[in-house]
């Protein structure tokens, strides 16, 4: 079989996000004014900024930082470095962050940011200069009480360290709580790197309990082998599941007997990349999505499951580790086919939950053991899952509908009790 990048009609993620919100608003009977408030992102910041490259030339990059809603607290959300970053993508991701924080009942609103850049095409010094300049530009918006960025696709602990340092230089003292996902030596939290993947494991355990099926021995396919996908695959395998397929942007590997995730990670030539010498059959990302497995975990990027391929998906359970991996029309097909979908705003909230712990630890300058972090993460995820499942049973709807009901209702309550200024 040949290996190609996943080419799919992704659609407009912001339109998808608004469609999901509208469905929840309809169920909740929200008035037109409240719907308008929630549909819009409160602040949208675009900046075109110069960076000096190693050869002395100057390039201008475009970056965004968007705040969707801050009714429940300071805004929180990742920073993405990718050539695919666009205003509408960042808007959608900011809105999804609002709902994700509300489902987990964290005291945050939603934000997101990004720079249109291929970080792998820059040297480390260029990446640092780009990051520091962008951090200075969004310095107007970010801060522990205002907006707390975190890593997302294409950014990592090092990028967060540069942002923390730049912000601290501008304020004359160290401000660790301005970002999360930092290295532990400068105020990062134990357990943060693995948190999203670990949260996917906790959610998979709850989902299997909910469905009355065993996780042990279940076959699993994971799309994406980056921070989220590789950790989820590793922890699921450790929990007794059989991970039969994983993929990166170029395609994947499949072994019906189960892959050795530890060995794949040890052989990986770069972050998120499946080694060329990996054992197993080469498959495309489309083939991975259509595998006959018990659990499918899209952990790469948005819009991967859509009306054009949802009919081919055979997995009875999907756990959305990526943000927005299923388009609304793809979701309709999955629902018609009785597929059990744990939505992104519940399934991948482990990252923001431990980011919340990191922020709390930074503000108190008092740090927790990793076991404490993981136990608290599990408790919050179990509670969120139980609350969503209870609403699903009450309203006879899907887990996604129930998660949106819970989230939108919480944001509406906060907006109403605060009132509209002035
Ligand atoms: P990452 O950059 O670490 O890894 C991304 C992976 O996806 C890589 O293996 C890459 O090769 C693969 N990929 C890229 N394009 C692809 C394509 N077209 N088809 C298949 N695979 C492709 O990113 P990450 O941090 O693991 O994030 C993955 C997803 O999870 C994103 O949707 C992100 O928004 C979401 N998410 C991340 C976190 C976090 O803490 N990192 C938290 C919540 C949600």
């Amino acid at each position: 079989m040949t290996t190609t990048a996943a080419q799919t009609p992704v659609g407009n993620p912001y339109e998808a996000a608004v469609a999901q919100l509208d469905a929840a608003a309809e169920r909740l009977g929200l008035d037109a004014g409240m719907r308008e408030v929630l549909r819009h992102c409160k602040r949208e910041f675009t900046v075109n900024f110069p960076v000096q490259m190693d050869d002395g030339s100057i390039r201008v990059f475009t970056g965004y930082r968007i705040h969707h809603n801050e009714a429940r607290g300071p805004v929180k959300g990742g920073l993405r470095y990718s050539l695919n970053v666009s205003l509408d993508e960042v808007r959608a991701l900011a809105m999804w962050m609002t709902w994700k924080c509300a489902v987990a009942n964290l005291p945050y609103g939603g934000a997101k940011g990004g720079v249109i850049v291929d970080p792998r095409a820059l040297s480390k010094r260029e990446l640092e200069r780009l990051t520091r300049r962008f951090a200075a530009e969004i310095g107007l918006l970010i801060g522990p009480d205002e907006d707390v960025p975190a890593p997302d696709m294409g950014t990592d602990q090092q990028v967060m360290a540069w942002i923390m340092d730049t912000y601290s230089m501008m304020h004359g003292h160290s401000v660790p709580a301005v970002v999360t996902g930092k290295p532990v030596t400068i105020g990062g939290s134990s357990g943060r790197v693995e948190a999203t993947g670990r949260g996917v494991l906790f959610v998979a355990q709850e989902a299997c309990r909910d469905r009355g099926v065993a996780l042990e021995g279940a076959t699993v396919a994971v799309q994406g082998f980056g921070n989220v996908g590789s950790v989820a695959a590793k922890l699921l395998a450790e929990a007794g599941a059989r991970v039969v397929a994983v993929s990166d942007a170029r395609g994947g590997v499949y072994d019906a007997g189960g892959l050795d995730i530890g060995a794949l990670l040890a052989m990986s030539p770069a972050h998120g990349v499946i080694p060329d010498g990996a054992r197993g059959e080469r498959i495309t990302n489309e083939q991975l999505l259509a595998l006959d497995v018990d659990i499918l975990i899209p952990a790469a990027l948005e819009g991967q499951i859509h009306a054009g391929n949802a009919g081919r998906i055979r997995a009875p359970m999907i756990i959305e580790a990526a943000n927005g991996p299923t388009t609304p029309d793809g979701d309709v097909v999955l629902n018609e086919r009785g597929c059990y979908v744990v939505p992104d705003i519940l399934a991948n909230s482990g990252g923001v939950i431990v980011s919340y712990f990191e922020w709390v630890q930074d503000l108190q300058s008092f740090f927790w053991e990793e076991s404490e972090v993981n136990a608290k993460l599990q408790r919050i995820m179990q509670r969120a899952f139980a609350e969503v499942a209870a609403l699903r049973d009450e309203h006879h709807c899907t887990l996604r509908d129930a998660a949106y009901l819970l989230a939108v209702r919480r944001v509406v309550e906060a907006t109403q009790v605060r009132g509209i200024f002035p």
Side-chain angles (χ1 to χ4, degrees):
M1 285 189 244
T2 52
T3 303
T4 56
Q7 295 294 330
T8 54
V10 168
N12 182 314
Y14 180 59
E15 285 171 15
V18 170
Q20 289 163 337
L21 163 66
D22 284 348
E26 197 58 38
R27 256 176 209 279
L28 289 167
L30 296 187
D31 63 44
M34 185 60 77
R35 288 181 198 211
E36 279 302 294
V37 170
L38 299 178
R39 271 190 197 138
H40 286 90
C41 292
K42 173 171 177 168
R43 286 188 196 94
E44 303 188 337
F45 181 77
T46 301
V47 57
N48 301 303
F49 59 100
V51 177
Q52 188 143 39
M53 310 309 283
D54 288 346
D55 65 3
S57 65
I58 293 169
R59 275 178 63 190
V60 172
F61 292 87
T62 301
Y64 307 103
R65 187 71 190 169
I66 294 187
H67 299 172
H68 171 248
N69 184 291
E70 56 189 7
R72 289 172 49 85
V75 290
K76 184 99 192 72
L79 201 55
R80 185 174 281 198
Y81 286 176
S82 160
L83 289 175
N84 294 325
V85 165
S86 68
L87 198 52
D88 273 350
E89 183 189 62
V90 182
R91 284 180 176 136
L93 289 162
M95 189 186 286
W96 287 327
M97 281 307 297
T98 300
W99 313 139
K100 196 184 302 182
C101 293
V103 168
N105 214 2
L106 305 180
Y108 288 138
K112 206 78 181 190
V115 178
I116 304 173
V117 60
D118 176 2
R120 290 161 308 180
L122 302 187
S123 72
K124 192 169 178 193
R125 290 289 304 151
E126 288 169 340
L127 195 63
E128 178 174 352
R129 284 196 293 272
L130 176 140
T131 299
R132 287 186 181 279
R133 178 65 189 243
F134 183 61
E137 298 287 357
I138 62 170
L140 296 166
L141 299 178
I142 64 175
D145 296 325
E146 291 90 20
D147 171 5
V148 186
D152 192 73
M153 278 177 74
T155 58
D156 57 14
Q157 290 197 358
Q158 178 61 74
V159 170
M160 294 306 118
W162 288 327
I163 296 176
M164 178 273 199
D165 185 69
T166 304
Y167 186 87
S168 298
M169 290 301 112
M170 291 165 68
H171 287 77
H173 58 98
S174 287
V175 189
V178 68
V179 287
T180 58
K182 301 176 293 294
V184 170
T185 41
I186 54 166
S189 176
S190 299
R192 174 60 185 91
V193 174
E194 294 201 323
T196 310
R198 189 174 296 282
V200 170
L201 166 70
F202 292 150
V203 152
Q205 288 168 333
E206 296 309 303
C208 286
R209 202 168 294 142
D210 188 42
R211 293 263 296 175
V213 297
L215 179 60
E216 207 169 353
T219 52
V220 180
V222 183
Q223 185 198 33
F225 201 60
N227 175 275
V228 181
S230 68
V231 173
K234 185 179 79 148
L235 296 179
L236 281 161
E238 284 170 13
R242 183 149 45 100
V243 180
V244 297
V246 293
S247 68
D248 62 19
R250 301 171 308 158
V253 282
Y254 170 74
D255 184 338
L259 297 164
D260 182 344
I261 303 299
L264 283 180
L265 279 167
M267 287 163 63
S268 174
H271 173 85
V273 177
I274 293 176
D276 286 337
R279 280 183 34 209
E281 189 184 344
R282 301 282 137 179
I283 56 173
T284 64
N285 271 291
E286 280 299 307
Q287 287 166 331
L288 180 141
L289 295 175
L291 285 174
D292 187 8
V293 288
D294 298 314
I295 305 175
L296 173 64
I297 304 186
L301 65 174
E302 57 268 18
Q304 294 299 295
I305 300 172
H306 46 82
N309 65 5
R312 289 196 290 278
I313 285 175
R314 284 183 282 174
M317 182 188 287
I318 298 178
I319 298 179
E320 293 185 339
N323 284 311
T326 309
T327 62
D329 54 5
D331 207 28
V332 171
V333 178
L334 295 180
N335 291 338
E336 281 168 2
R337 303 180 70 228
C339 188
Y340 179 103
V341 180
V342 185
D344 50 1
I345 57 172
L346 172 61
N348 70 32
S349 59
V352 72
I353 292 169
V354 177
S355 273
Y356 165 59
F357 297 160
E358 180 173 332
W359 179 74
V360 168
Q361 292 170 79
D362 287 338
L363 292 176
Q364 300 182 343
S365 297
F366 182 67
F367 291 86
W368 313 342
E369 301 286 328
E370 185 173 344
S371 56
E372 198 180 342
V373 169
N374 292 345
K376 284 188 161 80
L377 169 64
Q378 184 166 25
R379 267 207 303 282
I380 292 189
M381 295 211 70
Q382 283 177 335
R383 185 190 64 202
F385 191 98
E387 286 176 335
V388 170
L391 268 180
R392 171 204 57 192
D393 295 343
E394 188 188 327
H395 289 268
H396 306 288
C397 61
T398 63
L399 283 174
R400 190 189 310 281
D401 292 337
Y404 270 85
L405 279 183
L406 182 65
V408 175
R409 200 167 66 189
R410 283 179 172 159
V411 176
V412 167
E413 276 168 12
T415 307
Q416 283 171 339
V417 76
R418 286 178 66 155
I420 302 294
F421 180 84

